[in-house]
Amino acid sequence: MTFERIGSARSWLNRQQVEIEDGVTRPQTVATRTTLGEYAEQWIKTRRSAKGGPLRATTVRTYRGYMSKHIEPTLGHLALPAVTREVIRAWYAALPDETPTGNARAYAFLKSVCATAVEDGLMPSQPCTIRGGSSSKPKTKVTVATPAQVRALADKMPEHLQLAILLGAWCSLRNGEVLELRRRDVTPESIRVERGVTFVDGKAIIGPPKTDAGVRTVAVPPHISEAITEHLDKWVNADADALLFVRAPGDRTNLHTNTFGYFTKQAIKQTDLPATFRFHHLRHSGLTLAARTGATVAELQARAGHSTPHMALRYQHAASERDRALADALSALAVDN
């Protein structure tokens, strides 16, 4: 430090001496002693969710996955002040091209960690300044299944899991929501979504949806009401808490998402759906079909359990594209005749 007056220098020096005697540790000192890996782990442990609670176990697992796979090998050992914009740009450029979505999510996580470090005074400025670094286009295009394809896929599933396909498509339920449905949640007329299940280290973690909007009641399209009734009668235990989908008929434990995914993948191979089709595409298909019937953004948002209109707008856009294609086809007919 330099000063214009010796009195100012002495005052500053006296303040530093008092802090040293009081054992005060300056942020800059902490920063030089703390690696990015250490700080990120503490960030994960103390981070709070939007609702003010601790992070979900699955979120913690995801964040630690970003650290171990993308960040720790290259940046984890660096002291916080050494994580500069130049270092981040070089790190980002070296990420594998075949995982664009994972790269973007790891970058977004790292940016959040660094933002907190800046707030704590441990970094001079945000080093993650790559334009568009947090966004990517998925390599696999989402497929909109036709009603006939949904039915065909359900038919190829084991009999006790066929209803899961219909609920994913026609009630726009997420994977974890379907696998946590219980008898008390389901009637032939409506589905009440209040919980979901995820798995961490093989253990089922049951909890509410991420947002309040995820708690919802979904009206059942009448054409699958009979399938619900038959499933409840044939495959579900009599008590109100009985799961709709279990590891084995008569069991009382949640079917693992990986096991369900395996059965779904095997069934997909027996249909004309592309090999890249996933259960989540059924939800996308159902919402796109709902948009084509004229559903508003608010209606799509409520049915899907989205907390903002942003995602619902995607399905209306898809419906608009289809409407444009129909209009073009009508013009072609008029010209040809």
Side-chain angles (χ1 to χ4, degrees):
M1 300 286 290
T2 57
F3 304 88
E4 293 183 0
R5 298 178 181 275
I6 191 169
S8 300
R10 285 173 176 164
S11 296
W12 179 87
L13 188 60
N14 288 336
R15 290 196 302 274
Q16 307 312 306
Q17 185 65 37
V18 169
E19 289 188 0
I20 291 172
E21 293 173 355
D22 289 345
V24 175
T25 305
R26 296 169 182 78
Q28 294 86 349
T29 303
V30 175
T32 58
R33 295 175 182 173
T34 305
T35 66
L36 177 62
E38 294 167 341
Y39 185 81
E41 177 59 28
Q42 188 62 25
W43 186 94
I44 292 171
K45 290 179 178 179
T46 58
R47 186 71 169 177
R48 313 304 286 180
S49 69
K51 294 182 178 181
L55 296 178
R56 291 167 173 261
T58 49
T59 303
V60 170
R61 179 187 62 187
T62 298
Y63 287 166
R64 286 181 174 152
Y66 295 153
M67 284 299 301
S68 63
K69 184 176 181 180
H70 296 280
I71 300 170
E72 188 71 45
T74 306
L75 306 177
H77 67 286
L78 296 177
L80 290 174
V83 183
T84 63
R85 295 180 181 181
E86 293 76 17
V87 168
I88 294 298
R89 283 197 291 267
W91 164 78
Y92 189 83
L95 292 174
D97 294 336
E98 61 270 18
T99 57
T101 302
N103 297 348
R105 291 175 179 173
Y107 176 82
F109 162 73
L110 179 58
K111 187 174 183 178
S112 295
V113 171
C114 291
T116 305
V118 172
E119 293 174 2
D120 291 343
L122 303 180
M123 281 183 167
S125 61
Q126 171 63 270
C128 299
T129 58
I130 298 172
R131 182 175 295 180
S134 302
S135 60
S136 69
K137 292 183 178 180
K139 290 181 66 176
T140 302
K141 184 179 179 180
V142 175
T143 300
V144 176
T146 66
Q149 288 174 319
V150 171
R151 182 68 261 175
L153 179 59
D155 288 342
K156 297 301 181 181
M157 292 287 285
E159 189 179 354
H160 65 287
L161 298 178
Q162 291 180 357
L163 180 64
I165 299 298
L166 302 180
L167 295 179
W170 297 111
C171 295
S172 302
L173 301 187
R174 299 177 176 90
N175 189 333
E177 293 171 345
V178 168
L179 297 181
E180 177 47 25
L181 287 176
R182 298 173 185 265
R183 179 179 280 275
R184 67 173 183 267
D185 302 319
V186 178
T187 73
E189 292 77 34
S190 66
I191 306 289
R192 180 63 181 170
V193 180
E194 295 182 337
R195 303 167 311 283
V197 62
T198 55
F199 290 82
V200 177
D201 298 328
K203 181 181 178 181
I205 307 295
I206 298 169
K210 289 184 178 180
T211 65
D212 293 339
V215 178
R216 63 200 189 278
T217 299
V218 181
V220 173
H223 74 282
I224 68 167
S225 293
E226 184 177 349
I228 292 176
T229 300
E230 291 178 355
H231 183 89
L232 292 172
D233 291 343
K234 188 172 184 178
W235 301 108
V236 183
N237 293 333
D239 58 289
D241 202 44
L243 288 160
L244 263 67
F245 306 102
V246 292
R247 291 195 301 181
D251 200 351
R252 303 190 66 85
T253 53
N254 294 88
L255 177 67
H256 199 293
T257 49
N258 290 348
T259 304
F260 181 63
Y262 169 80
F263 284 124
T264 305
K265 187 174 182 179
Q266 295 306 308
I268 289 168
K269 293 178 179 179
Q270 302 176 61
T271 70
D272 61 356
L273 289 165
T276 54
F277 193 85
R278 298 292 181 267
F279 180 85
H280 188 73
H281 295 184
L282 292 169
R283 172 175 161 85
H284 182 95
S285 301
L287 292 170
T288 300
L289 293 171
R292 290 176 183 170
T293 69
T296 66
V297 171
E299 289 168 338
L300 292 171
Q301 184 180 340
R303 190 167 182 83
H306 291 144
S307 57
T308 67
H310 174 72
M311 289 298 293
L313 283 169
R314 292 177 55 190
Y315 303 110
Q316 279 222 325
H317 176 68
S320 297
E321 289 180 338
R322 176 59 180 164
D323 190 49
R324 170 47 52 194
L326 290 172
D328 292 343
L330 290 171
S331 286
L333 286 173
V335 172
D336 292 341
N337 294 282

